Amino acid sequence: MRSIVALVAGALAATAAWAVEPFTVRDIRVEGLQRVEPGTVFASLPVRVGDTYTDERGSAAIRALFDLGLFKDVRLDVSGNVLVVIVEERPTIAAVDFAGAKEFDKAVLQKALREVGLADGRPYDKALTDRAEQELKRQYISRSLYNAQVVTTVTPIERNRVNLTFTVTEGEPARIREVHVVGNKAFSEGTLLDLFDQDSGGWLSWYTKSNQYSRAKLNADLETLRSYYITRGYLEFRIDSTQVAISPDRQDLSVTVNITEGEKFVVQDVKLEGNYLGREDEFKTLVTIKPGEPYNGEQVTDTTKAFSDYFGTFGYAFAKVDATTEIDRANNRVSLILKSEPARRVYVRRVSIGGNNRTRDEVVRREFRQYEASWYDGDKIKLSRDRVDRLGYFTEINVETQPVPGSPDQVDLTVNVTEKPTGTLQLGAGFSSAEKVSLTFGISQDNVFGSGNQLGFQVNTSRYARTISLTTTDPYFTKDGISRSFSLYHTTTRPYYSVDGDYRLVNEGGNIRFGVPFSEVDTVFFGAGLERYRFDPGSGIPLLTSFGLFYYQPTPRSYQNYFGCSGTGNFANSLTCDNNSVWGLPLTVGWARDSRDSALVPTRGRVQRANLEVGVGGDMKYVKTSYQYQQFFPINKQYTFAINGEVGYGKAYGNKPYPIFKNFYAGGLGSIRGFEQNSLGPRDIPLLGQSEGAAIGGTKKAIFNAELSTPFPGAGNDRTLRLYGFFDVGNVFGSRDPLATDAQWAAQKKLRASVGLGISWISPLGPLRLAYAFPVVYQKDDNTDPLNPIPKDRIQRLQFQIGTSF
């Protein structure tokens, strides 16, 4: 038998004499296979039955089989005219596991290893395993875990398989001990270090991890530092070097940034050069750089962007605007030259929608005002993007402009969206001695089946607020954008506090409303409804006194008066009401103007809403009107300041009393935080030693809110998770109760105010708001006159709710 030992290809090529005499291959046999199919080997061999075998072909065969990555050893034997291929398969990876890995999720690590070839069912390769160890260490270093150790254990098991276990000893993360800036003269080191996200730590570092070193974060801090100087006239500022020193125990880091500030330059003049379409005067109004002020790189960037955007409104999508400087170092002056070349005017060939896995294309397209086969218009594209954002279905909306190859006068627009959950499912159960078991179920979907329609259904079995309601809205009832909404409801309300009585108020009805868009931001609403209110005053409470047996009736006198209950007052076993059921036909007219840049997290723009409701039929004749104004001001990329104002007024007409259940209410999230929901404003006069009367609302309302919000530290890419501080002031007001004293009336009219902090988040369950408030203007207990006490406000510092705004 002749034998051929697998040799390196180079050595074989260098051999002068044949190791084996060439022969004609009559058969090929493969030995040593366990899992690999013979066909895989035969397909890779450059030798076939009937070919003449040579050393060169043998060398090529060995290389081809090794290149498969499936074999640990390959040999060729010759038996007569039969070529024998002897292989030893690599072990197959049965499982990959991690021990001690806490900083990274195991699924993420397994996915990363799978991408480089280390996964269940793949051949085991020690070289790949060594590289994986090093990559894991680098990933831990990126998280400031410089002492992390990774040890790989290979455990052979049956059927030529192995288990891979990466055992990680993470150790403690290295902390930034100190950060220094060297070379600064114009600004103190403390001022500059305040710009950095990375620092030597503070009371919140356990959460923000600001004292854990990251090269990516350091680079971002350096860009912030550079921008700080460039926007203050230091045109030639540069960062000379950055030094990161680690302590011998690899637990502490020291970061030193060496800079050269250069001289401070003042703008001498601003010149426009190039083609401005004969509209130089219009472009000059967009220039924010002022001669005589320090050079500001941010203003230069804003101006060039404004120029590009303005060119876009005329169809020039690829206008080129360059800002160059002429520096007079002798006088520290700089001349700014803005050179523009509009290039070719283009029109939009196609608009494509991407990322909408559930939402239909038409839902996005019908909001677009940039149409296909029309001239490119930057203003219309921005308006279209904002309209899509205001739908509230997406967390991200990006519009990309792409040139059409071979057609220099055409572009395609690609709208990439990231969908968010638009449905809300609420399931709840409660138990108390008063209610026993109460169930709550609610489901709403703002984008039913991706159609853009809204559908909501709610059931609540609580003793105090039983509800069943159904609402639906079609925002494009007509192709012109007229919306239509239906609502059916049945509610039963009881007072939660015994002091407010034991009455029951049932409200049932339905309404229809149409919204007619009069402009891109203005919509007028018209609606009509039919509703009925039924009132059950409840039973009196027996009281045995020295004068005999009396029945105390805690039902608010305001309700007794409105429904004409006999035995009016607070001494009756039971009340009989002349008119315990009233119905009405309300007509509504509303107006809304929404120019916000986003419905989820607005940073600029305003919202105005006005509504007029008139009871024109049945037992209720009244007018109720309200107006709301919100505006958002971007302070910078991180902070947004917002204000909200609401006023309301109601009045009866036609010799009818104003319906008490149409009153305005205040208190709680959505109005004046820090006070219990709907607890502010006029109350019934407390009698028989009661500390307070029922909150009955008022016919006038005035509320003002202010908020300063910022992304929550460590929120990452979730822009909807925000931290905010707030100030609330306002109240609701009504007519003076004839039994109220001057002191009680003055207390009811007084404004209430609060300040506090909160968190807002567009959660999978809906908009979530959490607030902790400190009332600063509120009513305390006042028993100066025991017969006419002034009740204290119902304070509730911590409040949580889903589905509120402001």
Side-chain angles (χ1 to χ4, degrees), residues 767-786:
L768 180 151
R769 307 262 306 182
L770 175 70
Y772 191 84
F774 299 89
V776 292
V777 179
Y778 61 97
Q779 180 61 50
K780 300 179 182 179
D781 266 325
D782 187 348
N783 293 310
T784 304
D785 182 356

Side-chain angles (χ1 to χ4, degrees), residues 608-621:
Q608 298 182 74
R609 299 184 182 95
N611 189 70
L612 174 65
E613 180 179 330
V614 181
V616 296
D619 303 310
M620 297 181 286
K621 301 292 181 66

Side-chain angles (χ1 to χ4, degrees), residues 404-585:
V404 177
S407 301
D409 62 342
Q410 297 181 28
V411 296
D412 288 338
L413 295 183
T414 301
V415 185
N416 294 308
V417 299
T418 302
E419 292 182 316
K420 79 174 188 71
T422 55
T424 301
L425 176 63
Q426 295 178 333
L427 296 173
F431 178 84
S432 68
S433 58
E435 290 194 80
K436 302 304 180 185
V437 178
S438 64
L439 302 176
T440 301
F441 170 78
I443 184 171
S444 65
Q445 175 57 259
D446 293 337
N447 187 14
V448 179
F449 307 120
S451 65
N453 294 347
Q454 186 270 339
L455 177 66
F457 177 72
Q458 186 173 7
V459 175
N460 189 336
T461 67
S462 168
R463 179 178 183 271
Y464 301 112
R466 293 189 177 181
T467 302
I468 180 170
S469 65
L470 176 68
T471 60
T472 180
T473 300
D474 182 355
Y476 276 79
F477 175 62
T478 70
K479 65 179 182 180
D480 297 325
I482 296 177
S483 65
R484 182 193 63 188
S485 298
F486 285 113
S487 179
L488 296 173
Y489 53 87
H490 179 98
T491 65
T492 301
T493 305
R494 292 176 180 270
Y496 187 81
Y497 295 97
S498 60
V499 69
D500 293 341
D502 187 36
Y503 63 87
R504 183 180 64 170
L505 182 66
V506 178
N507 176 215
E508 51 198 5
N511 58 63
I512 184 173
R513 189 174 73 158
F514 295 92
V516 182
F518 277 72
S519 72
E520 296 295 346
V521 294
D522 292 285
T523 304
V524 176
F525 299 94
F526 304 92
L530 179 65
E531 58 185 356
R532 183 177 70 161
Y533 289 87
R534 290 185 289 115
F535 180 69
D536 178 3
S539 302
I541 301 173
L543 295 175
L544 183 59
T545 70
S546 58
F547 299 98
L549 180 65
F550 289 89
Y551 288 89
Y552 171 60
Q553 179 57 255
T555 301
R557 291 182 303 103
S558 302
Y559 281 90
Q560 296 181 39
N561 293 337
Y562 181 79
F563 287 98
C565 299
S566 61
T568 296
N570 289 77
F571 298 96
N573 181 14
S574 62
L575 297 176
T576 301
C577 301
D578 297 334
N579 189 20
N580 65 345
S581 177
V582 296
W583 70 276
L585 180 66

Side-chain angles (χ1 to χ4, degrees), residues 342-355:
R344 187 188 299 269
R345 192 181 185 192
V346 299
Y347 67 89
V348 176
R349 183 188 69 165
R350 183 179 297 117
V351 177
S352 302
I353 315 296

Side-chain angles (χ1 to χ4, degrees), residues 713-758:
N717 295 326
D718 190 349
R719 65 188 182 114
T720 68
L721 180 57
R722 300 181 71 82
L723 177 70
Y724 63 89
F726 62 86
F727 168 72
D728 300 336
V729 63
N731 206 343
V732 293
F733 313 92
S735 301
R736 180 171 179 172
D737 191 302
L739 298 180
T741 65
D742 291 341
Q744 289 173 330
W745 174 237
Q748 292 183 4
K749 293 193 303 179
K750 186 170 61 175
L751 290 174
R752 305 301 197 264
S754 64
V755 297
L757 297 173

Side-chain angles (χ1 to χ4, degrees), residues 368-424:
F368 249 68
R369 297 302 179 258
Q370 171 66 66
Y371 301 113
E372 296 179 341
S374 62
W375 289 114
Y376 177 97
D377 190 324
D379 282 349
K380 289 183 178 179
I381 293 174
K382 182 180 182 301
L383 173 63
S384 302
R385 186 218 169 273
D386 289 346
R387 286 181 61 90
V388 174
D389 202 352
R390 286 198 291 267
L391 289 175
Y393 304 157
F394 313 108
T395 57
E396 296 288 342
I397 301 101
N398 295 309
V399 181
E400 299 178 357
T401 302
Q402 301 169 334
V404 177
S407 301
D409 62 342
Q410 297 181 28
V411 296
D412 288 338
L413 295 183
T414 301
V415 185
N416 294 308
V417 299
T418 302
E419 292 182 316
K420 79 174 188 71
T422 55
T424 301

